[in-house]
Amino acid sequence: MDELQKALKIAFASEFSFYLKAHNYHWNVTGPFFSQLHDLFGKIYEEVYQSIDQFAEEIRSAGAFVPASYTRFSMLTRIEDETAVSDDGDMIQELLEDSDRMVKILKMVFDLATREGEEGLADFLANRMDAHRKHSWMLRATITK
Ligand SMILES: [Fe+2]
């Protein structure tokens, strides 16, 4: 399979997993900072979720079908699944590491898209990288430890 298509599917599955983890934390966070963290995780999952449809359609434009099941996502994602309910500090730390990881994954696909002259796709990926850098900034600024 085309290297760019494969990398796009990995980035998409990772982005969907990141979205789900942020939504998980929005629902399950507890502690004295509940309100602020519920809102912060809420802002993050909403921003990421809004990118999902376009991301999928970029994969179709690149000539591939979209992975869209939990089985396929678990085969492709580079973001570790969250099954436990962590404490609030661990949630911030974990989502921060995942957001930084997303920047790296997206940069890898951005470089491939640029090399192949796919400027529109590269532009979309650059915007996703910027969005994740912003999420990382807000999460890093929230760490209290
Ligand atoms: Fe909500």
Side-chain angles (χ1 to χ4, degrees), residues 2 4-6 8-9 12 52-67 113 116-122 124-125:
D2 180 281
L4 177 59
Q5 290 179 348
K6 196 173 171 188
L8 265 175
K9 289 180 186 183
F12 177 71
I52 289 295
D53 187 59
Q54 190 184 346
F55 208 144
E57 291 177 4
E58 292 287 351
I59 295 176
R60 294 294 295 124
S61 295
F65 286 107
V66 181
E116 297 195 15
E118 298 286 346
E119 280 117 3
L121 176 58
F124 170 77
L125 294 164

Side-chain angles (χ1 to χ4, degrees), residues 3 13 25 40 47 78 82 142:
E3 198 184 355
Y25 290 171
L40 175 62
E47 187 286 320
R78 300 287 159 83
E82 180 68 89
T142 306

Side-chain angles (χ1 to χ4, degrees), residues 19 44 90 95 109 116 118 126:
Y19 146 73
I44 293 173
D90 289 345
L95 204 60
V109 193
E116 297 195 15
E118 298 286 346

Side-chain angles (χ1 to χ4, degrees), residues 59-74:
I59 295 176
R60 294 294 295 124
S61 295
F65 286 107
V66 181
S69 72
Y70 291 118
T71 305
R72 291 288 289 135
F73 287 151
S74 72

